[in-house]
Amino acid sequence: MEYEMYGEIKAQPESLRRTIESEREHLESIASTFAKFDKIYLIGCGSSISTCYTIRDGVKSISPIDVDVQTGYEFVDHQYLQKDSNVGLIVTSQSGETADTLAALRKAKEYGIMTVSITNMADSSMAKEADESVVTRCGQETAILGTKTYITQLLSLYIIFYNIINTPRSQKILEQLYQLPDVVEELLISTEESSKQIAQENKDVDIFYCMGSGLNFGLAYKLAMTMFMEGALKHACPVYSGEFRHGLIERVEKGETVVFIKSNDDFDCVTDKAINFCNDLGVNTIIFNLEDYYDVDVLLTPFILLIPLEWFIYHLSIFNGEDPGSTRHIGKIRY
């Protein structure tokens, strides 16, 4: 039996192609405008805020651009703003109706801040109210954890920010980014069975710690918060690799499970230390390493590792008798 999420995983290459074709020039134009700002706020929730974490941490490793990531209500309730400040704001939302993200957009507009929305719904409130509206071309998405909307949203942020950076490396990253539809198509075929095997081996695990450093934390956050907990209904916790020695180091032991996300570059040294420590204790370590899947700039790691992780969660859910795209409370209870 194939669940809704299966088709949405498979639809990612075409969603990427359509979004690149329809929005590339628009995103490049936004990059030209936002390059003039002293600071850029990124606002999102759930899977959307994880794309914000990823681009923030990817950008700051090679650029001085000041990027601040916040959830909607944190921005609304706790962010001091001034009129005539030289800042811009980008909101990210699959539906374009997420209440707290929409409230953040409206607050920014009250202060005359330039706003951009990245959504999957052209007729949404965010798309209508933002100064510039980027629409990812994914069609309807049903699975709660976000697949095609997540990857196209992340693509959109990469196009904006790596055009702002505008260095030889950033331009090379953009060249590889535009090849992603074909790469993802290959990965969808080549990674399903190995991820299914990992899922079968770990179907009885109750809690997963998800760890990554640098831009890989954003994907670790998504993996824990929306993929394990919303999709597979498993307890999970995201952890920065550098924070392993503060807390989790006292909790891991034989029988515990830690999922590591690695780019296998010089910045992974703290991740490697955590892996070695866990292996010495006999911890159940699950490692998703870029070099095992594709040869690409390490700053594109989340796009590559997303695919085997999606197959892992999809099959883990099924092994536990769950529909990986369904929800129990989200969207049904006013919160």
Side-chain angles (χ1 to χ4, degrees):
M1 177 179 179
E2 292 179 2
Y3 292 91
E4 289 278 358
M5 183 182 168
Y6 184 87
E8 292 175 354
I9 291 174
K10 299 286 280 188
Q12 288 174 109
E14 191 55 35
S15 296
L16 286 166
R17 290 189 184 99
R18 289 198 301 263
T19 301
I20 291 169
E21 181 179 355
S22 65
E23 292 288 352
R24 176 176 172 176
E25 290 186 6
H26 186 200
L27 290 162
E28 290 171 349
S29 174
I30 291 170
S32 179
T33 299
F34 270 61
K36 304 169 186 175
F37 293 132
D38 296 326
K39 183 171 190 165
I40 300 171
Y41 291 105
L42 295 179
I43 310 296
C45 305
S47 286
S48 291
I49 200 169
S50 72
T51 65
C52 298
Y53 287 142
T54 293
I55 194 65
R56 177 198 65 189
D57 292 340
V59 164
K60 73 182 184 184
S61 66
I62 62 170
S63 165
I65 297 173
D66 187 358
V67 181
D68 187 349
V69 175
Q70 298 183 39
T71 66
Y73 285 141
E74 288 300 308
F75 183 83
V76 171
D77 295 339
H78 304 294
Q79 180 60 56
Y80 174 78
L81 296 175
Q82 289 180 293
K83 289 186 181 292
D84 301 321
S85 56
N86 190 37
V87 300
L89 178 137
I90 300 174
V91 294
T92 56
S93 168
Q94 188 277 128
S95 67
E97 301 292 347
T98 309
D100 38 347
T101 307
L102 183 56
L105 170 65
R106 289 169 175 168
K107 176 178 177 177
K109 289 183 70 65
E110 289 176 6
Y111 284 84
I113 292 172
M114 170 76 179
T115 59
V116 171
S117 67
I118 302 176
T119 80
N120 191 48
M121 305 300 290
D123 60 350
S124 66
S125 297
M126 288 182 209
K128 292 175 181 177
E129 295 183 29
D131 296 311
E132 294 282 352
S133 173
V134 175
V135 180
T136 56
R137 299 308 203 268
C138 302
Q140 183 67 35
E141 182 162 69
T142 302
I144 184 60
L145 50 77
T147 53
K148 54 187 180 176
T149 55
Y150 171 86
I151 200 169
T152 52
Q153 191 178 105
L154 189 60
L155 170 94
S156 299
L157 289 170
Y158 265 68
I159 294 174
I160 292 172
F161 279 93
Y162 285 97
N163 270 291
I164 292 175
I165 294 170
N166 194 24
T167 63
R169 184 178 181 187
S170 73
Q171 291 306 305
K172 183 65 175 178
I173 288 170
L174 287 167
E175 290 175 15
Q176 294 181 343
L177 191 72
Y178 296 133
Q179 297 169 9
L180 277 177
D182 292 338
V183 174
V184 169
E185 209 156 47
E186 293 176 28
L187 290 169
L188 287 171
I189 297 170
S190 64
T191 66
E192 182 178 5
E193 284 305 314
S194 59
S195 292
K196 183 177 181 180
Q197 180 63 36
I198 296 170
Q200 186 171 38
E201 293 168 356
N202 292 276
K203 62 183 178 63
D204 296 322
V205 173
D206 292 323
I207 182 168
F208 295 83
Y209 295 98
C210 306
M211 193 175 302
S213 65
L215 88 166
N216 290 328
F217 174 76
L219 185 53
Y221 183 90
K222 173 178 170 57
L223 176 61
M225 300 295 285
T226 67
M227 298 175 80
F228 274 125
M229 289 203 280
E230 293 180 5
L233 298 182
K234 294 282 191 179
H235 292 289
C237 178
V239 183
Y240 271 110
S241 298
E243 283 297 283
F244 172 78
R245 62 187 292 267
H246 301 289
L248 187 54
I249 195 170
E250 293 294 339
R251 184 64 187 91
V252 289
E253 57 191 25
K254 189 173 183 178
E256 298 295 336
T257 298
V258 184
V259 183
F260 293 96
I261 298 174
K262 275 176 54 65
S263 297
N264 208 45
D265 60 358
D266 293 340
F267 300 108
D268 266 339
C269 60
V270 290
T271 302
D272 290 333
K273 287 180 179 179
I275 290 172
N276 293 335
F277 185 89
C278 287
N279 286 338
D280 289 343
L281 289 180
V283 173
N284 178 32
T285 58
I286 304 172
I287 302 173
F288 288 86
N289 191 342
L290 174 65
E291 70 174 8
D292 295 331
Y293 295 98
Y294 211 81
D295 182 14
V296 70
D297 190 292
V298 295
L299 293 179
L300 292 170
T301 299
F303 290 98
I304 305 303
L305 296 188
L306 175 67
I307 305 307
L309 285 170
E310 286 176 342
W311 284 134
F312 172 42
I313 295 298
Y314 178 79
H315 289 290
L316 182 69
S317 303
I318 294 172
F319 283 131
N320 282 274
E322 302 288 350
D323 176 347
S326 66
T327 65
R328 296 189 296 176
H329 305 300
I330 296 176
K332 300 176 184 177
I333 298 174
R334 185 171 179 83
Y335 179 76

